[in-house]
Amino acid sequence: MKKILLPLLLGIVVSVRAQNPANMPQLPAIQTNIKASLKAKISGTVMDVTQHKPVEFATVALLNPKTEKIIGGTTTGESGKFTISGVDAGTYRVVISFIGYENKTINNVNVGTEGTEVALGVVQMQTDSRTLNEVVVTAEKPLVEDKDDRMVYNADKDATNSGGTAIDVLKKVPLLTVDPDGTVSLKGSSSIKVLINNKPSSIMARSISEALQMIPAELIKSVEVVTAPSAKYDAEGTAGVINIITKNQLQGLTGGVNASVGSRRNNLGGNFNYKRDKLSVTAYGGGNVNNYYGGSESVRQNLQNGQVISTIEQLNAYKNKGRSGFGSMSIDYDLDTLNRIGVDFSLGGEGRNTNSTRDTKVTSDDPQNFRRYNHTQNRNRNMDVNFNYTKTFKRSKEQEYTFLAQYNQNKNHSNYSLNQYPLPESEVIDYRERNNNDNQQKEFTLQTDFTYPFSTVKRRLLEVGTKAILRNVGSDYRLENAPDGSLNYQEDPSRANTFDYQQLVWASYASFRMRINKMWGFSLGGRMEMTNINANFISTSTKFTDRYQNFLPNITISQRFGEERRLRLNYSQRIQRPSIFFLNPYVNSSDPKNIQTGNPYLDPELAHSVELSYSTFTKKGTTVNAMLFGRQTNNAIERITTVDTSGVSSSTYRNIARNSTYGMNLFGSARPVKQWNISGSFGLNYTILNSSALQIKNENWSYQFNLNSSLQLPHDISVQANGSYTSRRIQLQGQSSGFYYYGFSGRKEFKKQKVTITANFENPFRRYNTIENLLRTPTFVSDGSNYNVIRNIRLSVNWRFGKMNAGQDREKKKISNDDGKQG
């Protein structure tokens, strides 16, 4: 027991002293005057003897062998290196400790004359299989970390996240903004890819915001924001990648149950984690029921030669109720210290019912006034299964080979039925319509990667890999109507089709990274992708094929100024293929005056991106990140609306514009006092949308900012407030108004019972969020507004069970298909 407690006590003393020496008068202070620079140094590198990797955050204590008092100390860095400065001549004992390892003691460390350096060389540490009743952290990670290619928000270090959801966590992540409806934006763009543990999750397939609301904040270890993905990532032409890392528990059994009751959403979920020796099992799941309501109103003037030929006024109200659930389990087994295999699978489902009423008034030579009652059902099921094998090499922990396989399936069924009445409303139904639409996507992926370090000391690393993705997208839709309002439905062949779409993507990449003198970093990579497409409109016997290949370079140059500042420049070219949301040719004509459909003939987007960022961190918790960026997307996919001579509008997606965005983003975080954390970000963008085909150009400035503040009070109580505002945004054919969000929360933790209670008040003084939409084209002018309920009051309870014990975990590899443009 003495052997186990000693490193913990040493860690506490060294860590506390490093944070606040003034509060430790019983320890002799290390002089920091000019004479200290003449004193000796003790340095070395701490390595894991089994896995041949550096041991980060190990505690290195310098003791007087006669009195056993601590003279000084430090912690190891990312490379396992440490340096103890300002040491007087004499003989000392060095004790190195870290949870999960046996203590390493080096006796008779002789320090000679002033100005010398005693090099201990490589110090090997052996893992300790014994467990502890309680884990004490001796060196904590900061709340925000700036790594070579990403910004990392350590969510498990922020106590105010307890009781919330993934949406609440993302509101505090640098560079991100979250809209009131849960839409996440990065650098002013919502075109992002959200991954869970480095891979796409089945629960994200239909709605990212819905999925994020179901994931408890207690499951999240950290959130990584990659604004300039390297060549190793799938070629994604969006603003970047958000990777949510869930907690990898240490040895033992832990878990939790969380539940919330609210005015718009009720959640219930839980998680289970077990790890013993070579076996690791993690499972989590949850479900929710929710209800939303709102409506819209619009006035559209249809034009011909600049003259108004008809006017359409519409008033709509809806109520939406749904329920969804998801579950995931992961099983990993260490064959030995160098080889690991794993299997995990996820299941998800969603059901949603919507009832709406729409009044339409047409003023023209042929006036029409009618009301439609519409009942819509949506059912979604998704599943994915993953297998992974990882081999590390004795030469270096960074030399690694992985083989990954994934099967993913998403099935969706939707239908609607509507009855139309003339206005003023009577009991006579003069038109009926019903529809069924089934679509599915199956995806099979094989991937292999190899990482080879040329030199661990000089940090030169080569990454190569290849991947094959086979996608099969199908859609089958049918529509029946009864123009006379009877029950005698007849199928309309002109509004039905069966569609099959196959896509094969093969990609290979190579990336080389190196560091020079710990200050300069370079990364150069390229990715070659080949895409084959075969599409078949079975109902109309129409087929088409397409094939294209792209070479996508990526280069990054960075310079560090000490340990707390970094400057980085990146250029990358990305490609983004349209997903089923954009491709599905299903024609939604539930509103006969506004028809919507997808476009299976879409080509991928190509994007060029340049980014310059500067980051600085201080030991007191202050973080500043400034970024300038430019992004140009050629062949951009935009929504286009046209109006025919009868006054009916049709909306679809086309590769018809060039999207150029230039901007800056500033993020800052500080702790004025230990109990108070405040953070915020500000983004300014200039966007140019240009379509030579339509002879349309639209451009404007836009900005976003958010502010978050949390305060820890006595008796394990904390309060938090946050808010955001986004200015108006442009579309190719018009613009949308700005919106704002604010919220308050309070949390009480009962540590003995392991229970946390959180109350959240989202927009308590505002019931609806209203967005104004203005469209201006040569064939029509439209003014409209959409309003959706936004006020929400929620009470959450979280209960945790089990204990964590000391142990080591290894990074798990996942497939990450992040090349598809999401709807």
mmCIF file of all heavy atoms in Angstrom, residues 570-600:
data_model
loop_
_atom_site.group_PDB
_atom_site.id
_atom_site.type_symbol
_atom_site.label_atom_id
_atom_site.label_comp_id
_atom_site.label_asym_id
_atom_site.label_seq_id
_atom_site.Cartn_x
_atom_site.Cartn_y
_atom_site.Cartn_z
ATOM 1 N N ASN A 570 -2.444 26.537 -43.612
ATOM 2 C CA ASN A 570 -2.878 25.304 -44.256
ATOM 3 C C ASN A 570 -3.552 25.613 -45.586
ATOM 4 O O ASN A 570 -4.300 26.586 -45.715
ATOM 5 C CB ASN A 570 -3.843 24.520 -43.368
ATOM 6 C CG ASN A 570 -4.466 23.328 -44.081
ATOM 7 O OD1 ASN A 570 -5.519 23.456 -44.715
ATOM 8 N ND2 ASN A 570 -3.826 22.181 -43.983
ATOM 9 N N TYR A 571 -3.274 24.746 -46.575
ATOM 10 C CA TYR A 571 -4.026 24.750 -47.829
ATOM 11 C C TYR A 571 -4.499 23.322 -48.091
ATOM 12 O O TYR A 571 -3.741 22.355 -47.929
ATOM 13 C CB TYR A 571 -3.186 25.225 -49.011
ATOM 14 C CG TYR A 571 -3.831 24.885 -50.343
ATOM 15 C CD1 TYR A 571 -4.900 25.638 -50.823
ATOM 16 C CD2 TYR A 571 -3.417 23.770 -51.073
ATOM 17 C CE1 TYR A 571 -5.526 25.306 -52.014
ATOM 18 C CE2 TYR A 571 -4.042 23.432 -52.266
ATOM 19 C CZ TYR A 571 -5.099 24.205 -52.730
ATOM 20 O OH TYR A 571 -5.739 23.870 -53.898
ATOM 21 N N SER A 572 -5.747 23.189 -48.511
ATOM 22 C CA SER A 572 -6.266 21.861 -48.837
ATOM 23 C C SER A 572 -7.305 21.979 -49.930
ATOM 24 O O SER A 572 -7.935 23.028 -50.107
ATOM 25 C CB SER A 572 -6.883 21.191 -47.601
ATOM 26 O OG SER A 572 -7.986 21.941 -47.120
ATOM 27 N N GLN A 573 -7.455 20.901 -50.663
ATOM 28 C CA GLN A 573 -8.507 20.797 -51.664
ATOM 29 C C GLN A 573 -9.354 19.588 -51.306
ATOM 30 O O GLN A 573 -8.826 18.520 -50.995
ATOM 31 C CB GLN A 573 -7.925 20.632 -53.071
ATOM 32 C CG GLN A 573 -8.982 20.618 -54.175
ATOM 33 C CD GLN A 573 -8.359 20.522 -55.561
ATOM 34 O OE1 GLN A 573 -7.171 20.723 -55.717
ATOM 35 N NE2 GLN A 573 -9.167 20.186 -56.553
ATOM 36 N N ARG A 574 -10.665 19.753 -51.328
ATOM 37 C CA ARG A 574 -11.557 18.692 -50.888
ATOM 38 C C ARG A 574 -12.647 18.465 -51.939
ATOM 39 O O ARG A 574 -12.894 19.305 -52.793
ATOM 40 C CB ARG A 574 -12.223 19.046 -49.544
ATOM 41 C CG ARG A 574 -11.305 19.633 -48.499
ATOM 42 C CD ARG A 574 -10.196 18.711 -48.097
ATOM 43 N NE ARG A 574 -10.679 17.551 -47.368
ATOM 44 C CZ ARG A 574 -9.909 16.533 -47.022
ATOM 45 N NH1 ARG A 574 -8.631 16.527 -47.351
ATOM 46 N NH2 ARG A 574 -10.411 15.509 -46.351
ATOM 47 N N ILE A 575 -13.273 17.307 -51.841
ATOM 48 C CA ILE A 575 -14.394 16.961 -52.708
ATOM 49 C C ILE A 575 -15.547 16.511 -51.826
ATOM 50 O O ILE A 575 -15.350 15.917 -50.765
ATOM 51 C CB ILE A 575 -14.006 15.838 -53.705
ATOM 52 C CG1 ILE A 575 -15.155 15.568 -54.691
ATOM 53 C CG2 ILE A 575 -13.600 14.578 -52.974
ATOM 54 C CD1 ILE A 575 -14.779 14.556 -55.772
ATOM 55 N N GLN A 576 -16.762 16.817 -52.258
ATOM 56 C CA GLN A 576 -17.931 16.447 -51.461
ATOM 57 C C GLN A 576 -19.033 15.939 -52.380
ATOM 58 O O GLN A 576 -19.521 16.652 -53.241
ATOM 59 C CB GLN A 576 -18.429 17.645 -50.662
ATOM 60 C CG GLN A 576 -19.491 17.261 -49.644
ATOM 61 C CD GLN A 576 -19.859 18.451 -48.792
ATOM 62 O OE1 GLN A 576 -20.121 19.525 -49.307
ATOM 63 N NE2 GLN A 576 -19.865 18.274 -47.495
ATOM 64 N N ARG A 577 -19.386 14.685 -52.153
ATOM 65 C CA ARG A 577 -20.399 14.049 -52.995
ATOM 66 C C ARG A 577 -21.778 14.244 -52.377
ATOM 67 O O ARG A 577 -21.935 14.197 -51.155
ATOM 68 C CB ARG A 577 -20.098 12.560 -53.147
ATOM 69 C CG ARG A 577 -18.732 12.290 -53.745
ATOM 70 C CD ARG A 577 -18.390 10.811 -53.706
ATOM 71 N NE ARG A 577 -17.043 10.600 -54.205
ATOM 72 C CZ ARG A 577 -15.940 10.679 -53.461
ATOM 73 N NH1 ARG A 577 -16.055 10.968 -52.171
ATOM 74 N NH2 ARG A 577 -14.758 10.475 -53.987
ATOM 75 N N PRO A 578 -22.805 14.418 -53.194
ATOM 76 C CA PRO A 578 -24.171 14.600 -52.650
ATOM 77 C C PRO A 578 -24.684 13.299 -52.034
ATOM 78 O O PRO A 578 -24.469 12.208 -52.566
ATOM 79 C CB PRO A 578 -24.985 15.001 -53.875
ATOM 80 C CG PRO A 578 -24.225 14.434 -55.041
ATOM 81 C CD PRO A 578 -22.778 14.510 -54.663
ATOM 82 N N SER A 579 -25.379 13.418 -50.920
ATOM 83 C CA SER A 579 -25.970 12.261 -50.256
ATOM 84 C C SER A 579 -27.382 12.034 -50.788
ATOM 85 O O SER A 579 -27.877 12.753 -51.656
ATOM 86 C CB SER A 579 -25.998 12.470 -48.741
ATOM 87 O OG SER A 579 -26.904 13.524 -48.418
ATOM 88 N N ILE A 580 -28.071 11.022 -50.240
ATOM 89 C CA ILE A 580 -29.410 10.656 -50.691
ATOM 90 C C ILE A 580 -30.382 11.809 -50.514
ATOM 91 O O ILE A 580 -31.350 11.940 -51.259
ATOM 92 C CB ILE A 580 -29.907 9.400 -49.936
ATOM 93 C CG1 ILE A 580 -31.283 8.958 -50.428
ATOM 94 C CG2 ILE A 580 -29.916 9.645 -48.446
ATOM 95 C CD1 ILE A 580 -31.335 8.570 -51.873
ATOM 96 N N PHE A 581 -30.137 12.677 -49.534
ATOM 97 C CA PHE A 581 -31.020 13.830 -49.308
ATOM 98 C C PHE A 581 -31.120 14.688 -50.565
ATOM 99 O O PHE A 581 -32.180 15.216 -50.891
ATOM 100 C CB PHE A 581 -30.486 14.656 -48.135
ATOM 101 C CG PHE A 581 -31.289 15.884 -47.836
ATOM 102 C CD1 PHE A 581 -32.409 15.820 -47.024
ATOM 103 C CD2 PHE A 581 -30.928 17.116 -48.361
ATOM 104 C CE1 PHE A 581 -33.149 16.960 -46.743
ATOM 105 C CE2 PHE A 581 -31.662 18.259 -48.088
ATOM 106 C CZ PHE A 581 -32.779 18.174 -47.273
ATOM 107 N N PHE A 582 -30.003 14.845 -51.282
ATOM 108 C CA PHE A 582 -29.979 15.663 -52.489
ATOM 109 C C PHE A 582 -30.307 14.852 -53.737
ATOM 110 O O PHE A 582 -30.825 15.390 -54.709
ATOM 111 C CB PHE A 582 -28.597 16.300 -52.659
ATOM 112 C CG PHE A 582 -28.233 17.253 -51.564
ATOM 113 C CD1 PHE A 582 -27.553 16.819 -50.440
ATOM 114 C CD2 PHE A 582 -28.565 18.586 -51.648
ATOM 115 C CE1 PHE A 582 -27.214 17.690 -49.427
ATOM 116 C CE2 PHE A 582 -28.235 19.473 -50.650
ATOM 117 C CZ PHE A 582 -27.554 19.029 -49.525
ATOM 118 N N LEU A 583 -29.982 13.557 -53.742
ATOM 119 C CA LEU A 583 -30.138 12.740 -54.943
ATOM 120 C C LEU A 583 -31.549 12.204 -55.149
ATOM 121 O O LEU A 583 -31.962 11.969 -56.285
ATOM 122 C CB LEU A 583 -29.171 11.544 -54.884
ATOM 123 C CG LEU A 583 -27.680 11.861 -54.880
ATOM 124 C CD1 LEU A 583 -26.895 10.597 -54.591
ATOM 125 C CD2 LEU A 583 -27.259 12.468 -56.208
ATOM 126 N N ASN A 584 -32.289 11.975 -54.080
ATOM 127 C CA ASN A 584 -33.577 11.299 -54.155
ATOM 128 C C ASN A 584 -34.543 12.025 -55.107
ATOM 129 O O ASN A 584 -34.939 13.160 -54.855
ATOM 130 C CB ASN A 584 -34.188 11.207 -52.761
ATOM 131 C CG ASN A 584 -35.389 10.283 -52.705
ATOM 132 O OD1 ASN A 584 -35.868 9.799 -53.726
ATOM 133 N ND2 ASN A 584 -35.871 10.041 -51.508
ATOM 134 N N PRO A 585 -34.963 11.394 -56.207
ATOM 135 C CA PRO A 585 -35.845 12.070 -57.175
ATOM 136 C C PRO A 585 -37.307 12.107 -56.747
ATOM 137 O O PRO A 585 -38.164 12.527 -57.539
ATOM 138 C CB PRO A 585 -35.669 11.220 -58.438
ATOM 139 C CG PRO A 585 -35.381 9.847 -57.918
ATOM 140 C CD PRO A 585 -34.577 10.044 -56.663
ATOM 141 N N TYR A 586 -37.594 11.685 -55.519
ATOM 142 C CA TYR A 586 -38.964 11.715 -55.015
ATOM 143 C C TYR A 586 -39.545 13.129 -55.128
ATOM 144 O O TYR A 586 -38.938 14.115 -54.732
ATOM 145 C CB TYR A 586 -38.970 11.247 -53.566
ATOM 146 C CG TYR A 586 -40.168 11.671 -52.761
ATOM 147 C CD1 TYR A 586 -41.442 11.185 -53.068
ATOM 148 C CD2 TYR A 586 -40.029 12.553 -51.696
ATOM 149 C CE1 TYR A 586 -42.538 11.577 -52.327
ATOM 150 C CE2 TYR A 586 -41.124 12.937 -50.942
ATOM 151 C CZ TYR A 586 -42.380 12.453 -51.267
ATOM 152 O OH TYR A 586 -43.466 12.835 -50.530
ATOM 153 N N VAL A 587 -40.750 13.214 -55.706
ATOM 154 C CA VAL A 587 -41.426 14.497 -55.914
ATOM 155 C C VAL A 587 -42.460 14.704 -54.804
ATOM 156 O O VAL A 587 -43.442 13.978 -54.718
ATOM 157 C CB VAL A 587 -42.115 14.560 -57.290
ATOM 158 C CG1 VAL A 587 -42.829 15.898 -57.464
ATOM 159 C CG2 VAL A 587 -41.109 14.340 -58.402
ATOM 160 N N ASN A 588 -42.200 15.675 -53.962
ATOM 161 C CA ASN A 588 -43.119 16.001 -52.882
ATOM 162 C C ASN A 588 -44.055 17.101 -53.365
ATOM 163 O O ASN A 588 -43.673 18.259 -53.497
ATOM 164 C CB ASN A 588 -42.341 16.462 -51.640
ATOM 165 C CG ASN A 588 -43.256 16.673 -50.443
ATOM 166 O OD1 ASN A 588 -44.465 16.814 -50.575
ATOM 167 N ND2 ASN A 588 -42.672 16.694 -49.268
ATOM 168 N N SER A 589 -45.298 16.708 -53.636
ATOM 169 C CA SER A 589 -46.278 17.674 -54.147
ATOM 170 C C SER A 589 -47.461 17.793 -53.201
ATOM 171 O O SER A 589 -48.583 18.049 -53.633
ATOM 172 C CB SER A 589 -46.746 17.250 -55.548
ATOM 173 O OG SER A 589 -47.201 15.911 -55.527
ATOM 174 N N SER A 590 -47.203 17.584 -51.901
ATOM 175 C CA SER A 590 -48.287 17.746 -50.936
ATOM 176 C C SER A 590 -48.818 19.173 -50.936
ATOM 177 O O SER A 590 -49.975 19.421 -50.607
ATOM 178 C CB SER A 590 -47.815 17.354 -49.536
ATOM 179 O OG SER A 590 -46.701 18.143 -49.140
ATOM 180 N N ASP A 591 -47.978 20.135 -51.309
ATOM 181 C CA ASP A 591 -48.411 21.511 -51.557
ATOM 182 C C ASP A 591 -48.387 21.707 -53.071
ATOM 183 O O ASP A 591 -47.318 21.826 -53.672
ATOM 184 C CB ASP A 591 -47.471 22.495 -50.865
ATOM 185 C CG ASP A 591 -47.865 23.946 -51.124
ATOM 186 O OD1 ASP A 591 -48.861 24.191 -51.837
ATOM 187 O OD2 ASP A 591 -47.165 24.839 -50.609
ATOM 188 N N PRO A 592 -49.523 21.725 -53.740
ATOM 189 C CA PRO A 592 -49.542 21.753 -55.213
ATOM 190 C C PRO A 592 -48.974 23.027 -55.802
ATOM 191 O O PRO A 592 -48.656 23.064 -57.001
ATOM 192 C CB PRO A 592 -51.026 21.604 -55.541
ATOM 193 C CG PRO A 592 -51.735 22.153 -54.347
ATOM 194 C CD PRO A 592 -50.882 21.790 -53.170
ATOM 195 N N LYS A 593 -48.827 24.073 -55.007
ATOM 196 C CA LYS A 593 -48.274 25.323 -55.517
ATOM 197 C C LYS A 593 -46.772 25.427 -55.276
ATOM 198 O O LYS A 593 -46.118 26.340 -55.803
ATOM 199 C CB LYS A 593 -48.978 26.518 -54.866
ATOM 200 C CG LYS A 593 -50.490 26.541 -55.111
ATOM 201 C CD LYS A 593 -50.817 26.579 -56.604
ATOM 202 C CE LYS A 593 -52.321 26.589 -56.849
ATOM 203 N NZ LYS A 593 -52.651 26.595 -58.303
ATOM 204 N N ASN A 594 -46.196 24.489 -54.476
ATOM 205 C CA ASN A 594 -44.763 24.497 -54.177
ATOM 206 C C ASN A 594 -44.262 23.052 -54.164
ATOM 207 O O ASN A 594 -44.394 22.347 -53.158
ATOM 208 C CB ASN A 594 -44.489 25.160 -52.825
ATOM 209 C CG ASN A 594 -44.919 26.619 -52.805
ATOM 210 O OD1 ASN A 594 -44.210 27.490 -53.298
ATOM 211 N ND2 ASN A 594 -46.092 26.881 -52.225
ATOM 212 N N ILE A 595 -43.694 22.612 -55.272
ATOM 213 C CA ILE A 595 -43.260 21.227 -55.436
ATOM 214 C C ILE A 595 -41.757 21.140 -55.175
ATOM 215 O O ILE A 595 -40.986 22.010 -55.594
ATOM 216 C CB ILE A 595 -43.598 20.722 -56.856
ATOM 217 C CG1 ILE A 595 -45.118 20.756 -57.067
ATOM 218 C CG2 ILE A 595 -43.058 19.327 -57.083
ATOM 219 C CD1 ILE A 595 -45.533 20.410 -58.479
ATOM 220 N N GLN A 596 -41.352 20.067 -54.485
ATOM 221 C CA GLN A 596 -39.944 19.877 -54.136
ATOM 222 C C GLN A 596 -39.485 18.498 -54.588
ATOM 223 O O GLN A 596 -40.225 17.524 -54.477
ATOM 224 C CB GLN A 596 -39.736 20.017 -52.630
ATOM 225 C CG GLN A 596 -40.210 21.347 -52.060
ATOM 226 C CD GLN A 596 -40.033 21.418 -50.570
ATOM 227 O OE1 GLN A 596 -38.995 21.064 -50.031
ATOM 228 N NE2 GLN A 596 -41.072 21.873 -49.879
ATOM 229 N N THR A 597 -38.227 18.419 -55.067
ATOM 230 C CA THR A 597 -37.671 17.143 -55.516
ATOM 231 C C THR A 597 -36.154 17.196 -55.445
ATOM 232 O O THR A 597 -35.544 18.273 -55.429
ATOM 233 C CB THR A 597 -38.110 16.825 -56.957
ATOM 234 O OG1 THR A 597 -37.612 15.549 -57.339
ATOM 235 C CG2 THR A 597 -37.582 17.873 -57.926
ATOM 236 N N GLY A 598 -35.524 15.989 -55.401
ATOM 237 C CA GLY A 598 -34.077 15.890 -55.470
ATOM 238 C C GLY A 598 -33.604 15.788 -56.906
ATOM 239 O O GLY A 598 -34.396 15.801 -57.847
ATOM 240 N N ASN A 599 -32.295 15.658 -57.069
ATOM 241 C CA ASN A 599 -31.708 15.616 -58.405
ATOM 242 C C ASN A 599 -30.631 14.535 -58.463
ATOM 243 O O ASN A 599 -29.523 14.732 -57.962
ATOM 244 C CB ASN A 599 -31.103 16.977 -58.758
ATOM 245 C CG ASN A 599 -30.502 17.007 -60.145
ATOM 246 O OD1 ASN A 599 -30.600 16.048 -60.906
ATOM 247 N ND2 ASN A 599 -29.857 18.114 -60.478
ATOM 248 N N PRO A 600 -30.925 13.367 -59.060
ATOM 249 C CA PRO A 600 -29.942 12.282 -59.105
ATOM 250 C C PRO A 600 -28.775 12.540 -60.053
ATOM 251 O O PRO A 600 -27.819 11.765 -60.073
ATOM 252 C CB PRO A 600 -30.764 11.083 -59.574
ATOM 253 C CG PRO A 600 -31.874 11.684 -60.368
ATOM 254 C CD PRO A 600 -32.201 12.980 -59.691
#
